[in-house]
């Protein structure tokens, strides 16, 4: 539940609609927006043109949804801290997930993610946070350079622990990403 989710024109607010398309239940109440899932996700075919930074989140979730998910209009993600599309393909591949790249899209053939695997962050805070979501479901996931989240969310690992995630105590002691 996000309690400070006022009506906004921010494109990333569309995340909730994509989560609903993936099979999550969305309740937009007076006290906030609540998203729940029974753990079974559906693949999606979605344009992320308005929110390309979310390609990491949805590629991670798509790796858990059985079947192919198509994440379109995300070519700009190749120009961020790292080439996020290439990094996602490489790291999800370490989990046994086939990812097909095109210049402006990814096709994630999900439902096959298996650990153990060490996932590299490529010095990218969004990759680390997305891989944490996978680690809540796939046993044996280790995130290399977890401290890179300090770029935008230094308390990420503490907050993940507070939500009940099993995060090793040394996550904050890892060297932060270059800025």
């Amino acid at each position: 539940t996000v309690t400070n989710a006022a009506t906004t024109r921010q494109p990333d607010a569309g995340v909730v609609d994509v989560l609903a398309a993936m099979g999550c239940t969305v309740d937009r109440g007076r006290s906030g927006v609540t998203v729940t899932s029974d753990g079974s996700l559906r693949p999606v075919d979605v344009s992320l043109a308005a929110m390309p930074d979310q390609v990491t989140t949805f590629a991670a979730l798509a790796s858990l949804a059985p079947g192919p998910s198509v994440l379109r209009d995300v070519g700009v993600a190749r120009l961020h801290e790292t080439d996020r599309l290439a990094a996602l393909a490489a790291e999800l591949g370490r989990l046994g997930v086939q990812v097909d790249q095109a210049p402006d899209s990814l096709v994630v053939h999900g439902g096959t993610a298996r650990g153990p695997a060490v996932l590299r962050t490529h010095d990218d805070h969004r990759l680390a946070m997305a891989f944490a979501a996978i680690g809540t479901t796939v046993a044996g996931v280790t995130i290399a350079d977890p401290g890179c989240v300090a770029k935008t969310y230094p308390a990420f690992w503490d907050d993940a622990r507070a939500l009940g995630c099993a995060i090793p105590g040394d996550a904050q002691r890892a060297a932060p990403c270059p800025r």
Side-chain angles (χ1 to χ4, degrees):
T1 299
V2 178
T3 58
N4 62 349
T7 302
T8 179
R9 292 183 179 173
Q10 289 293 323
D12 284 354
V15 163
V16 175
D17 296 327
V18 179
L19 291 170
M22 294 187 86
C24 296
T25 300
V26 175
D27 178 23
R28 299 173 197 263
R30 286 187 173 180
S31 62
V33 177
T34 300
V35 177
T36 56
S37 172
D38 64 4
S40 58
L41 296 173
R42 294 190 300 254
V44 291
D45 185 331
V46 63
S47 171
L48 297 176
M51 50 180 168
D53 282 341
Q54 298 303 326
V55 70
T56 55
T57 302
F58 288 114
L61 294 175
S63 75
L64 304 173
S69 286
V70 182
L71 308 175
R72 301 179 187 283
D73 306 316
V74 291
V76 69
R78 292 188 181 278
L79 307 172
H80 286 91
E81 286 82 348
T82 189
D83 177 340
R84 288 181 176 157
L85 304 187
L88 284 162
E91 302 312 313
L92 294 177
R94 294 176 191 273
L95 294 168
V97 177
Q98 178 186 338
V99 179
D100 302 324
Q101 297 182 62
D104 198 34
S105 64
L106 287 179
V107 177
V108 180
H109 301 272
T112 59
R114 302 288 179 269
V118 176
L119 304 181
R120 296 181 306 129
T121 64
H122 299 258
D123 295 328
D124 190 321
H125 56 121
R126 290 189 184 271
L127 287 171
M129 290 185 275
F131 295 156
I134 294 171
T136 65
T137 301
V138 176
V141 170
T142 300
I143 299 169
D145 189 20
C148 71
V149 299
K151 177 178 182 178
T152 55
Y153 192 171
F156 177 80
W157 300 111
D158 290 331
D159 289 347
R161 271 190 209 91
L163 291 171
C165 298
I167 308 293
D170 61 354
Q172 291 87 352
R173 290 195 297 269
C177 287
R179 295 180 197 250

